[in-house]
Amino acid sequence: ERAVEDLMCGKCSGAALGMKQTHCKTHGDAYIEFKCRYCCEVASFFCFGHTHFCDSCHKKWVQGAFRKPATLVQTCKCGFKHAANGTTQASEACYGCSLCRIKVKENAPL
């Protein structure tokens, strides 16, 4: 179980990384999402004050991938424009507001 003091919202995790655009004009800060540093999945963990992980990469990290972080790096398959997947802070990227992204997808032609 995680301690409450270890939990951080998207806005605060972005601020910890020095990112300025972690606010949605329509929905505020509550739905801001980041990509996993190592792949293109939406991050569900923010660890060490500087690394966003998706569930899969976080599990691999805990199971020993921390010894060779480069083994987690995957080729981009999402088609979104974002920082290249990698092992450094330069690989951190904000996907923006999840509600706005869903709205755009729902309105896209089939």
Side-chain angles (χ1 to χ4, degrees):
E1 195 167 310
R2 291 174 185 79
V4 173
E5 60 271 9
D6 290 339
L7 302 177
M8 190 178 292
C9 69
K11 179 183 178 185
C12 293
S13 68
L17 293 168
M19 295 179 175
K20 295 178 182 171
Q21 294 182 320
T22 57
H23 180 83
C24 173
K25 292 177 184 175
T26 305
H27 303 107
D29 308 323
Y31 303 100
I32 298 299
E33 293 181 326
F34 289 81
K35 70 173 266 314
C36 174
R37 178 181 286 203
Y38 301 99
C39 70
C40 300
E41 294 296 319
V42 173
S44 49
F45 294 91
F46 182 65
C47 301
F48 323 118
H50 54 70
T51 305
H52 286 94
F53 288 94
C54 67
D55 189 52
S56 176
C57 289
H58 190 266
K59 284 179 184 175
K60 291 174 188 172
W61 182 272
V62 171
Q63 293 169 350
F66 63 87
R67 293 181 187 96
K68 293 184 180 179
T71 62
L72 294 174
V73 178
Q74 298 175 26
T75 304
C76 178
K77 298 174 188 157
C78 72
F80 294 124
K81 190 173 186 177
H82 61 73
N85 300 332
T87 60
T88 66
Q89 186 168 336
S91 299
E92 293 286 331
C94 180
Y95 274 157
C97 177
S98 62
L99 290 183
C100 289
R101 201 167 58 253
I102 289 167
K103 187 175 181 180
V104 168
K105 269 188 171 179
E106 287 177 347
N107 293 328
L110 296 175

